[in-house]
Amino acid sequence: MKIYLNGTYVSKEDAKISVFDHGFLYGDGAFEGIRSYNRRVFRLQAHMDRLYETAHTLMIEIPMTKEQMIQAVVDTLNQNNLDDAYIRVIVTRGVGDLGLDPRKCHGKPGVIIIADKITLYPEELYRNGMAIMTVPTVRNHSEALNPQLKSLNYLNNILAKIEANNAGFNEAIMMDTQGYVAECTGDNIFIIKNGVLLTPLTGRLKGITRDMVLELAESNDVKTRETFLTRHEIYNADECFLSGTAAEIIPVVKVDGRLIADGKPGRFTQKLIQQFKKVTASDGVPY
Ligand code: PXG
């Protein structure tokens, strides 16, 4: 495996960063998770736009242009000769001292690109659907750490994942600070109710897979609405599914012990999974 580390390629064993890097000390940085299918990088521009927006808000100046970053992602895929891959782009504040003041980080921000594989959930769950639960840990308040930022600080999502794992589940639904459904630990959430596709309006990451699901629904003449959702609405949905780059699209069939409709993956969800496969196999930046 060849890993892009600040402009050079190194082996997995040699891919090391300083213990004084604020990405390590404080989670001070940004990241993206991207997939390629069939030697095409899916929605690369959208991932780059989101990465640069996160960095802009964090006031981290990425030491390369978006075009150079796109080229580095493509080059990393070629270096590793992967037809299908999960690509992790990481930008760290860089090396500073033990204080959190970012002004002490004198060097350039760090840029790391890893191309590998990822499987989030067992294959069987994509066919039969997943049982998930709501957890006590809430998603960040927008005025604390905006969930729109894909920062290196994922501790509240990790706590939520631990709560679900402790109870024997693979995934957690997190609420926002007002008690509305926000998203899962690494996925956006959708329901279908009376033929309308519903998904949380705020308090969640603006997922790139989420955007694609909304586009696909509209092209199927399914009405979509971004709104406020409660647990009650999830329990009584006709269909429920999650979306994410790593997770792709996965049906949800039980939430907090309540079956979703008949407890089987919904018809629209299954159609969407088929359409998702078609689009991802043919769209994207070739390499
Ligand atoms: N919400 C959150 C909080 C995410 O981190 C998504 C939604 C889906 O967004 P995209 O743009 O990918 O459709 C994500 C991204 C993991 C893992 O191991 C998941 C993500 C990122 C990193 C790791 O579960 N999902």
Side-chain angles (χ1 to χ4, degrees), residues 31 50 88 120 139 150 154 157 183 186 207-209 245:
F31 80 100
R50 190 169 65 184
R88 176 63 55 88
L120 273 205
R139 196 69 174 96
K150 225 166 147 52
Y154 253 55
N157 296 41
E183 60 183 337
I208 287 160
T209 321
T245 300

Side-chain angles (χ1 to χ4, degrees), residues 149-169:
L149 299 183
K150 225 166 147 52
S151 85
L152 292 182
N153 188 328
Y154 253 55
L155 272 180
N156 77 325
N157 296 41
I158 290 166
L159 286 173
K161 191 78 149 185
I162 289 170
E163 287 156 2
N165 292 164
N166 283 347
F169 293 91

Side-chain angles (χ1 to χ4, degrees), residues 24-245:
F24 172 70
L25 285 174
Y26 296 112
D28 187 355
F31 80 100
E32 275 300 319
I34 310 167
R35 264 191 198 270
S36 73
Y37 299 88
N38 216 4
R39 294 193 87 86
R40 287 169 186 277
V41 193
F42 191 64
R43 305 234 160 155
L44 181 53
Q45 187 66 48
H47 283 285
M48 291 297 115
D49 290 345
R50 190 169 65 184
L51 178 69
Y52 278 72
E53 284 184 9
T54 297
H56 180 68
T57 294
L58 297 176
M59 299 189 85
I60 293 176
E61 203 169 317
I62 300 177
M64 54 210 285
T65 63
K66 257 189 223 177
E67 292 66 36
Q68 287 168 330
M69 184 69 91
I70 286 172
Q71 194 57 48
V73 168
V74 166
D75 290 346
T76 305
L77 284 162
N78 282 322
Q79 287 273 341
N80 288 282
N81 199 23
L82 289 162
D83 294 344
D84 300 283
Y86 178 78
I87 305 127
R88 176 63 55 88
V89 180
I90 303 148
V91 174
T92 78
R93 177 83 58 190
V95 176
D97 66 13
L98 289 179
L100 63 78
D101 192 336
R103 290 176 301 188
K104 302 280 180 61
C105 298
H106 292 302
K108 276 198 234 166
V111 177
I112 299 159
I113 306 172
I114 309 167
D116 200 358
K117 301 268 176 190
I118 198 171
T119 325
L120 273 205
Y121 311 116
E123 173 54 34
E124 173 260 326
L125 298 181
Y126 285 85
R127 267 178 283 118
N128 300 329
M130 185 159 59
I132 62 177
M133 68 180 290
T134 57
V135 294
T137 294
V138 295
R139 196 69 174 96
N140 287 319
H141 190 289
S142 299
E143 297 308 321
L145 184 60
N146 196 316
Q148 305 245 46
L149 299 183
K150 225 166 147 52
S151 85
L152 292 182
N153 188 328
Y154 253 55
L155 272 180
N156 77 325
N157 296 41
I158 290 166
L159 286 173
K161 191 78 149 185
I162 289 170
E163 287 156 2
N165 292 164
N166 283 347
F169 293 91
N170 283 314
E171 195 49 80
I173 298 178
M174 302 175 78
M175 305 297 150
D176 65 17
T177 48
Q178 292 193 73
Y180 292 108
V181 171
E183 60 183 337
C184 292
T185 63
D187 324 314
N188 290 111
I189 187 165
F190 288 87
I191 60 170
I192 292 267
K193 184 70 175 177
N194 299 329
V196 181
L197 181 70
L198 303 162
T199 195
L201 171 68
T202 61
R204 69 332 176 233
L205 183 75
K206 197 171 179 304
I208 287 160
T209 321
R210 174 186 184 275
D211 284 346
M212 183 205 175
V213 166
L214 290 170
E215 288 166 25
L216 280 177
E218 272 161 30
S219 70
N220 282 300
D221 288 325
V222 170
K223 279 206 191 93
T224 65
R225 189 144 35 93
E226 297 176 61
T227 182
F228 294 91
L229 294 172
T230 62
R231 285 181 300 172
H232 172 72
E233 283 153 315
I234 306 283
Y235 300 156
N236 292 288
D238 299 328
E239 300 187 27
C240 180
F241 63 89
L242 312 180
S243 77
T245 300

